[in-house]
Amino acid sequence: MRYALRLFFAVCALAVMLAVQMGAAYAADGWYWLSSDDKYSKFYDPSSVVVTHTASTSRGKIATEIAAWTKTSYSYEGAKETIDAYGLKAVILDPSQFAYSLAEIVINPQNRTLQYAKEEFCDASGKVLWSHADGRAKEITSQEFDEGFYDAVVDQVFAIGEAKRAKADDRWITLWDSVAPDGTRMHVTGDTTTMRMKGENLIFWKWAETKDSAGHVMEIQFQKAAVNLPQGTERIIKGTRWTPASGWKDLDDDMDGAYRMIPPTSVAYKGIEKLRAYAAGYSMWLNRYSIED
């Protein structure tokens, strides 16, 4: 048993040492390691982070645009997945040629968006296989590949704790839960990393999962919501819906952009009360990048 424990701790120590060495190696050439899995390794260059636009407020100047450079390296599976996603099969014929990508990203923290201003796909020697500029801006949610880049860059500028909140056990908070007479259950959670105040509205992404009495998932809705906290009303800005039959599809706006009242007697009103309590207790977090006076 003691031998097994010594072996276990030796393996752990070796893993830590290798991770430190890997981080140090990439830091030496300007790239700071963020994360790795069996498909991708993600890095960013701390020295490249620059605030390109600010807004003047009573609290001083607040960054509204941040630029930085990132790097992603790929396994064969990661390269193939990326080539397929970008529609580049006719350009990069062999995924094993695609070693890494470099990108200049532009971040707007107030709207939680990230844009690829420049992007280059390269082989191991540095030869550019494909490039483009002025990619579309996308909002960073739990479902986005780029969340780690966003967190690292924003934390370097503001040092408020985006990466820490993204990894926190209580990142997702339960808003409400209901069980129908037939055993169907609906569970709704809110992502605190995406929460921010705009006027009286709390903007955030929520995950609503419906299961049958046997525990099988019947439907998932992933929605960006604006909740007017004083009025107790809600507007769904956009979202997607999943069912076993149809897969993921965009949600239709059946309210035509209007707010709907959440009845105080409904189970969903528990979510309003939970959000009001969260806003009262975590006001600094919800207004962390606000440019409103």
Side-chain angles (χ1 to χ4, degrees):
M1 174 64 74
R2 281 185 299 214
Y3 173 76
L5 285 174
R6 284 199 301 270
L7 179 61
F8 171 76
F9 286 118
V11 170
C12 289
L14 177 61
V16 170
M17 181 180 70
L18 289 174
V20 169
Q21 288 176 345
M22 183 162 123
Y26 279 101
D29 66 4
W31 297 110
Y32 182 87
W33 175 75
L34 296 174
S35 65
S36 295
D37 58 25
D38 58 350
K39 293 182 180 179
Y40 310 98
S41 290
K42 301 175 186 178
F43 312 84
Y44 89 111
D45 180 0
S47 68
S48 73
V49 176
V50 59
V51 174
T52 49
H53 287 92
T54 61
S56 296
T57 72
S58 59
R59 292 164 282 111
K61 290 186 176 181
I62 306 294
T64 57
E65 185 179 277
I66 310 165
W69 280 90
T70 66
K71 179 180 180 179
T72 305
S73 60
Y74 303 86
S75 68
Y76 182 91
E77 291 75 16
K80 184 178 183 303
E81 185 174 87
T82 303
I83 291 168
D84 291 347
Y86 276 72
L88 295 175
K89 291 182 182 180
V91 179
I92 305 176
L93 303 178
D94 182 2
S96 66
Q97 291 182 316
F98 180 21
Y100 68 91
S101 62
L102 300 175
E104 182 183 27
I105 59 173
V106 177
I107 286 172
N108 173 257
Q110 287 72 31
N111 293 311
R112 202 175 168 84
T113 60
L114 181 151
Q115 178 192 19
Y116 282 84
K118 299 175 184 176
E119 194 168 17
E120 295 180 343
F121 289 3
C122 305
D123 67 12
S125 70
K127 177 184 176 182
V128 177
L129 305 174
W130 176 83
S131 65
H132 78 122
D134 298 326
R136 69 177 180 86
K138 58 181 175 179
E139 186 169 358
I140 298 301
T141 71
S142 60
Q143 306 304 298
E144 295 295 340
F145 172 87
D146 328 83
E147 186 179 40
F149 295 143
Y150 176 91
D151 292 342
V153 173
V154 171
D155 272 346
Q156 183 167 323
V157 173
F158 290 97
I160 294 178
E162 287 287 342
K164 183 178 179 180
R165 177 101 301 268
K167 296 174 183 175
D169 292 338
D170 61 348
R171 168 177 178 163
W172 292 87
I173 58 173
T174 296
L175 300 181
W176 56 274
D177 205 28
S178 69
V179 181
D182 66 356
T184 301
R185 179 182 178 183
M186 189 172 192
H187 184 64
V188 182
T189 58
D191 184 359
T192 60
T193 69
T194 63
M195 289 183 179
R196 57 191 183 275
M197 292 299 302
K198 286 195 173 182
E200 295 182 333
N201 290 293
L202 177 58
I203 313 295
F204 70 105
W205 282 82
K206 63 179 180 176
W207 186 273
E209 193 167 275
T210 303
K211 296 181 178 180
D212 62 20
S213 58
H216 302 125
V217 178
M218 301 167 58
E219 180 188 66
I220 297 172
Q221 292 192 20
F222 185 51
Q223 303 171 328
K224 181 182 181 181
V227 174
N228 187 295
L229 294 179
Q231 295 180 10
T233 58
E234 179 185 59
R235 179 170 74 91
I236 301 302
I237 301 170
K238 60 182 176 180
T240 56
R241 175 177 179 266
W242 178 91
T243 65
S246 64
W248 286 102
K249 290 187 175 180
D250 289 341
L251 275 173
D252 294 326
D253 182 5
D254 56 3
M255 293 291 290
D256 198 25
Y259 282 80
R260 64 186 181 93
M261 179 67 71
I262 308 298
T265 55
S266 68
V267 66
Y269 198 76
K270 294 179 181 178
I272 299 292
E273 294 175 329
K274 187 71 173 281
L275 292 172
R276 285 171 176 166
Y278 193 88
Y282 297 92
S283 175
M284 183 176 293
W285 173 254
L286 300 185
N287 291 282
R288 58 198 182 280
Y289 314 128
S290 176
I291 56 175
E292 298 176 357
D293 284 327

